[in-house]
């Protein structure tokens, strides 16, 4: 485990993030929009829902619109909050700093806006934390290496 660069307690960090549960199709053809974490993170190759951090003072739905556009190139309309998920661990960040991390994940139902209905997802943000965005058959999504918030959303917080 990386060493801390100071004595005393491990620094604490809390992050609030908003994520979109976007579904298309129905029945056996239903797909979910997922994004893959890039090598800039400590968890490259893992999949999650599109979304990300809410900046101080930012409305969570505005943050969700911004993050989904950056990660997928798609314009969305955030709907109702489906649920809240959280994760807590102490460990090393991508830069090696050990921290006591608490993530709060707001999961929203969302729909594509008309201008994005026939657009293939594509990462817009350069050198960011996402390297791929794709529609994945829902029947296959749970077989991927999903982050806990995405797994939770797909198994518990679904909009039906």
């Amino acid at each position: 485990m990386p060493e801390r660069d100071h004595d005393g307690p491990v620094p604490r960090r809390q992050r609030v993030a908003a994520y979109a549960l976007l579904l298309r199709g129905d029945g056996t053809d239903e797909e979910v929009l997922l994004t893959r974490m890039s090598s800039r993170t400590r968890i490259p190759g893992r999949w999650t829902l599109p979304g990300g951090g809410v900046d101080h003072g930012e409305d969570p739905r505005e943050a969700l619109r911004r993050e989904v556009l950056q990660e997928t190139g798609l314009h969305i309309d955030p709907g109702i909050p489906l649920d809240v998920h959280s994760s807590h661990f102490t460990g090393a960040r991508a830069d090696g700093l050990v921290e006591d991390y608490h993530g709060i994940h707001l999961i929203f139902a969302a729909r594509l806006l008309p201008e994005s209905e026939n657009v293939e997802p594509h990462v817009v943000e350069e050198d960011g934390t996402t390297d791929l965005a794709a529609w994945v058959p829902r029947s296959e999504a749970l077989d991927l290496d999903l982050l806990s918030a995405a797994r939770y959303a797909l198994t518990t917080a679904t909009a039906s």
Side-chain angles (χ1 to χ4, degrees), residues 76-136:
I76 64 155
D77 179 26
I80 63 167
L82 297 173
D83 212 331
V84 177
H85 173 268
S86 71
S87 61
H88 179 237
F89 66 89
T90 300
R93 302 186 321 195
D95 64 4
L97 178 69
V98 174
E99 66 181 358
D100 178 354
Y101 176 83
H102 181 210
I104 301 169
H105 314 118
L106 310 174
I107 302 168
F108 287 87
R111 68 175 186 85
L112 290 178
L113 291 178
E115 63 264 32
S116 291
E117 285 179 1
N118 294 312
V119 176
E120 281 302 309
H122 57 283
V123 179
V124 174
E125 182 179 43
E126 293 183 24
D127 199 30
T129 58
T130 299
D131 68 6
L132 182 64
W135 289 104
V136 175

